Amino acid sequence: EVHLLESGGGLVQPGGSLKLSCAASGFSFSNYAVSWVRQAPGKGLEWVSSISGSGDTTYSAPSVKGRFTISRDNSKNTLYLQMNSLRAEDTAVYYCAKHSGGNCYYVTDYWGQGTLVTVSS
Amino acid sequence: EIVMTQSPATLSVSPGERATLSCRASQSVSRNLAWYQQKPGQAPRLLVHAASSRATGIPTRFSGSGSGTDFTLTITSLQSEDFAVYYCQQYQNWPPYTFGQGTKLEIK
């Protein structure tokens, strides 16, 4: 059974940093692309960043480019999101989502339960 | 960036009846369109991909149709557990992947 467990969320001041993790199990992690998608309180879904199964290709939304970095450690079956220069508008639940193939053009077929990031002074 | 527009924003339907949700893309996404269901406090769940292919374990009362710019998710014989928010997403032209704003399906 596919399982994705996010961690690392919390309260951080504007301008601060936070690193999210997503521990994956139940599938061959290195064979699948994974993404981060966020959801601000009471709002819809917003794609944040994606990384291929091998880790050699990454993509990020313009709203986070230059501030957020996606990475993965296939030896640890873990996805990361390093978030720097955080802003109030980054406040959201952050979900990790597995794609159905090794490249990012596949659909996301399983999602974790999310971790809440709150940016506030 | 492709803009996805869902309608209606809220749909009120009685249990046992049929619900029809719409999603329109600002340009063609071929059949690279997915539908997700999200219940309060839960993660989104994939229902349909490639416009009309049900995901693993999804009941047959959920069906997707359409191609190009206009898509529909139909839920027949609504069950109590189907009342939720539904999102469409295109994965044809990316980045960015884009989602619709959601349709809230509520009990009438």
Side-chain angles (χ1 to χ4, degrees):
Chain A
E1 181 185 0
V2 172
H3 194 55
L4 300 165
L5 182 63
E6 302 92 338
S7 61
L11 175 64
V12 61
Q13 293 188 338
S17 298
L18 211 56
K19 187 173 185 177
L20 305 183
S21 300
C22 174
S25 60
F27 63 102
S28 182
F29 184 66
S30 62
N31 288 345
Y32 295 90
V34 278
S35 289
W36 290 99
V37 179
R38 68 185 180 184
Q39 187 170 36
K43 302 297 184 182
L45 301 167
E46 179 190 15
W47 169 74
V48 173
S49 193
S50 300
I51 187 167
S52 62
S54 63
D56 59 0
T57 308
T58 63
Y59 308 89
S60 291
S63 59
V64 307
K65 195 167 288 186
R67 299 189 299 123
F68 290 10
T69 302
I70 190 171
S71 63
R72 64 191 296 161
D73 185 338
N74 285 343
S75 69
K76 295 183 178 179
N77 290 348
T78 303
L79 171 71
Y80 303 100
L81 185 67
Q82 177 66 49
M83 303 186 295
N84 299 330
S85 303
L86 282 160
R87 307 166 181 167
E89 55 265 35
D90 296 319
T91 294
V93 174
Y94 284 73
Y95 296 102
C96 68
K98 166 190 167 292
H99 291 254
S100 59
N103 293 307
C104 298
Y105 54 70
Y106 289 94
V107 72
T108 48
D109 55 359
Y110 291 94
W111 296 51
Q113 286 303 304
T115 187
L116 176 62
V117 173
T118 303
V119 184
S120 174
S121 55
Chain B
E1 173 178 326
I2 296 179
V3 177
M4 308 300 293
T5 303
Q6 292 185 240
S7 61
T10 303
L11 182 61
S12 300
V13 183
S14 300
E17 297 193 338
R18 172 194 297 251
T20 302
L21 289 69
S22 296
C23 176
R24 175 166 289 179
S26 60
Q27 64 189 79
S28 177
V29 298
S30 185
R31 293 180 60 81
N32 293 307
L33 189 285
W35 289 95
Y36 298 87
Q37 177 194 66
Q38 187 179 33
K39 297 178 181 179
Q42 296 186 17
R45 177 175 71 146
L46 178 66
L47 299 175
V48 170
H49 62 97
S52 61
S53 297
R54 268 187 302 277
T56 303
I58 301 303
T60 56
R61 64 180 181 273
F62 292 90
S63 63
S65 64
S67 66
T69 61
D70 290 298
F71 300 87
T72 299
L73 176 70
T74 302
I75 314 169
T76 57
S77 189
L78 276 165
Q79 308 293 303
S80 58
E81 62 265 29
D82 299 336
F83 293 95
V85 178
Y86 292 83
Y87 294 95
C88 63
Q89 180 210 26
Q90 68 84 19
Y91 51 102
Q92 165 73 11
N93 290 344
W94 55 274
Y97 305 97
T98 47
F99 295 87
Q101 80 280 19
T103 290
K104 181 179 180 180
L105 179 59
E106 64 177 26
I107 301 175
K108 186 174 182 181

